[in-house]
């Protein structure tokens, strides 16, 4: 903020002589505004009064001064009790299909969108401390298919939730996983540990290829992961790629949701306090833009904040992460409902 000095002369009458006013204007106040205020006044008292009133009005209407918060538009309880309840829901989760012992969730998104960080963050909640895995999935040349079983608290049995991570999507500038390979994963053909490579697509001759996948081999829900700080700058070709993917995955009967990551990078209120996320106008607007990118209603999209440089857990961050997992599991259950044979009582 700059300091502006006005030398203003008041001649003769009352012996005011020369007076200098030092003003620290709001950043949205223009120099022209200050001069018009000073020029239209005939005494120093009126100058001070006019200037104070005008600057106060401009400050109220300045975009920089307006709050980015609005009434909460999604209801969440930001308490330790809610965190405990959500942890219990996730750790005790059981697929509703008898033939399936684990719900397999595939995370899909551009390279460096936060897929692996989300897996690490969720596991951190159950570990009781922040544990960041080594960076994976950022390479555009190769990546191994990895599945992570989300474990309960120490001493408890692992949950029946598996998060699967594969190579990130290409964005027009970087080469990533191909449509063919991704659909092969969703269909259950790709074995655990398979190393993806753009020049070696998955085929029936691939080592470990599952020719007749059962329900337990398939993906039961797909979670797209997009970076909130990059939604507006992703290459145009990515939108086409994502929407083609969604169409093909829908044809397989697999439900899809989306995670909006790095929300703390676009909203300073949320960066300070994650519990403000569902009051943030910026985040709500960005969810709409992410929905347009994906061709998806915002009701399927949940914002998350992954752990990155933090050393300690935060209950609000944990609640948001666990709420996202619960959201994913609801759509996995829909898949099981859609694919469970309906038996009728024989007469």
């Amino acid at each position: 903020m700059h300091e502006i000095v006005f030398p203003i002369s008041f001649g003769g009458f009352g012996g005011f002589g020369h007076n200098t006013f030092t003003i620290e204007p709001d950043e949205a106040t223009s120099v022209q505004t200050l001069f018009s205020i000073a020029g239209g006044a005939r005494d120093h008292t009126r100058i001070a009064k006019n200037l104070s009133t005008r600057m106060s009005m401009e400050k109220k209407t300045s975009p920089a001064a307006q709050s980015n918060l609005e009434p909460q538009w999604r209801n969440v309880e930001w308490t330790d009790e809610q965190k405990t309840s959500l942890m219990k829901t996730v750790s005790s989760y059981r697929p509703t299909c008898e033939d399936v012992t684990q719900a397999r969730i595939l995370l899909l998104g551009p390279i460096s969108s936060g897929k692996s960080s989300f897996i690490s963050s969720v596991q951190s909640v159950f570990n009781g401390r922040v544990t960041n895995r080594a960076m994976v999935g950022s390479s555009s040349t190769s990546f191994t298919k990895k599945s992570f079983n989300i474990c309960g608290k120490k001493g408890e049995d692992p949950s029946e939730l598996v998060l699967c991570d594969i190579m990130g999507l290409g964005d027009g500038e970087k080469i990533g996983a191909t449509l063919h390979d991704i659909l092969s994963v969703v269909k259950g053909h790709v074995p655990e540990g398979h190393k993806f490579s753009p020049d070696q697509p998955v085929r029936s001759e691939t080592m470990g290829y599952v020719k007749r996948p059962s329900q337990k081999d398939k993906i039961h829900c797909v979670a797209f992961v997009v970076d909130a700080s990059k939604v507006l700058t992703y290459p145009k070709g990515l939108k086409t790629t994502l929407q083609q993917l969604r169409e093909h995955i829908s044809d397989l009967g697999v439900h899809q949701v989306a995670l909006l990551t790095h929300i703390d990078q676009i909203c300073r209120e949320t960066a300070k306090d994650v519990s403000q996320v569902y009051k943030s106008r910026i985040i709500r607007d960005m969810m709409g833009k992410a929905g347009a990118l994906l061709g998806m209603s915002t009701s399927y999209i949940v914002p998350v904040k992954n752990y990155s440089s933090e050393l300690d857990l935060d209950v609000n961050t944990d609640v948001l992460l666990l709420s996202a997992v619960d959201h994913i599991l609801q759509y996995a259950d829909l898949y099981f409902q859609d694919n469970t044979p309906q038996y009728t009582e024989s007469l």
Side-chain angles (χ1 to χ4, degrees):
M1 187 174 292
H2 301 286
E3 186 175 87
I4 302 177
V5 179
F6 288 92
I8 305 174
S9 298
F10 300 91
F13 300 100
F16 286 104
H18 295 271
N19 292 272
T20 300
F21 294 90
T22 302
I23 303 164
E24 293 186 359
D26 180 86
E27 61 184 8
T29 305
S30 66
V31 173
Q32 290 87 343
T33 296
L34 294 173
F35 272 107
S36 66
I37 294 169
R42 292 185 178 277
D43 60 78
H44 68 286
T45 303
R46 194 179 302 171
I47 289 176
K49 183 177 180 180
N50 287 358
L51 188 58
S52 176
T53 302
R54 189 71 162 270
M55 290 179 67
S56 176
M57 290 176 63
E58 291 203 13
K59 185 174 182 180
K60 289 180 180 178
T61 58
S62 166
Q66 291 177 355
S67 172
N68 291 318
L69 300 181
E70 56 188 11
Q72 187 158 310
W73 38 275
R74 279 186 184 173
N75 294 321
V76 176
E77 294 181 24
W78 306 100
T79 63
D80 286 309
E81 291 76 15
Q82 178 67 359
K83 172 184 172 180
T84 300
S85 175
L86 286 167
M87 288 180 70
K88 184 176 180 180
T89 297
V90 174
S91 61
S92 63
Y93 174 79
R94 299 292 181 270
T96 55
C97 179
E98 292 183 359
D99 297 333
V100 178
T101 58
Q102 295 176 322
R104 299 179 61 79
I105 313 301
L106 177 63
L107 301 182
L108 275 181
I111 294 168
S112 301
S113 59
K115 300 183 284 89
S116 301
S117 294
F118 176 73
I119 295 173
S120 293
S121 297
V122 172
Q123 191 60 71
S124 292
V125 177
F126 286 95
N127 288 344
R129 58 188 177 86
V130 177
T131 51
N132 290 315
R133 299 180 185 277
M135 285 294 293
V136 292
S138 58
S139 171
S140 60
T141 56
S142 65
F143 182 66
T144 302
K145 177 192 174 188
K146 297 179 181 179
S147 299
F148 300 92
N149 191 285
I150 300 303
C151 299
K153 291 183 178 180
K154 190 174 182 179
E156 294 182 355
D157 293 332
S159 71
E160 296 186 1
L161 166 65
V162 174
L163 300 179
C164 304
D165 196 5
I166 64 171
M167 177 188 286
L169 301 175
D171 58 11
E173 297 176 356
K174 297 179 181 178
I175 298 174
T178 64
L179 175 64
H180 169 80
D181 283 359
I182 291 170
L183 294 178
S184 295
V185 173
V186 175
K187 293 175 183 178
H189 293 301
V190 182
E192 183 68 13
H194 172 75
K195 190 171 184 178
F196 292 93
S197 180
D199 57 352
Q200 294 181 352
V202 174
R203 50 174 69 99
S204 58
E205 294 79 18
T206 297
M207 184 177 296
Y209 183 87
V210 182
K211 294 184 178 180
R212 293 188 178 85
S214 63
Q215 286 288 12
K216 65 182 179 62
D217 300 309
K218 298 177 181 180
I219 292 298
H220 309 123
C221 179
V222 171
F224 286 92
V225 183
V226 292
D227 184 341
S229 69
K230 297 179 181 177
V231 168
L232 300 179
T233 59
Y234 279 133
K236 292 182 179 179
L238 181 63
K239 181 177 181 178
T240 302
T241 299
L242 289 168
Q243 296 193 10
Q244 284 181 344
L245 262 175
R246 291 205 59 237
E247 183 177 348
H248 285 287
I249 293 171
S250 293
D251 288 343
L252 297 175
V254 178
H255 297 277
Q256 301 141 62
V257 298
L259 307 177
L260 186 67
T261 60
H262 299 108
I263 55 172
D264 51 314
Q265 294 184 20
I266 65 168
C267 177
R268 61 186 177 186
E269 284 88 354
T270 301
K272 294 176 184 176
D273 181 0
V274 177
S275 69
Q276 302 298 309
V277 60
Y278 288 127
K279 294 181 182 179
S280 171
R281 182 181 293 106
I282 291 175
I283 290 177
R284 186 175 67 163
D285 290 347
M286 193 58 70
M287 286 174 62
K289 291 177 173 64
L293 176 72
L294 291 160
M296 178 184 291
S297 166
T298 55
S299 62
Y300 296 99
I301 303 173
V302 289
V304 295
K305 179 185 180 300
N306 293 332
Y307 285 111
S308 54
S309 60
E310 298 87 352
L311 297 178
D312 300 309
L313 296 177
D314 170 70
V315 64
N316 294 333
T317 301
D318 293 349
V319 167
L320 196 61
L321 286 163
L322 292 167
S323 296
V325 176
D326 184 50
H327 181 72
I328 291 170
L329 290 176
Q330 291 178 36
Y331 285 92
D333 270 343
L334 283 180
Y335 174 89
F336 295 133
Q337 291 175 25
D338 295 342
N339 291 276
T340 299
Q342 300 297 314
Y343 295 101
T344 57
E345 187 176 351
S346 57
L347 298 175

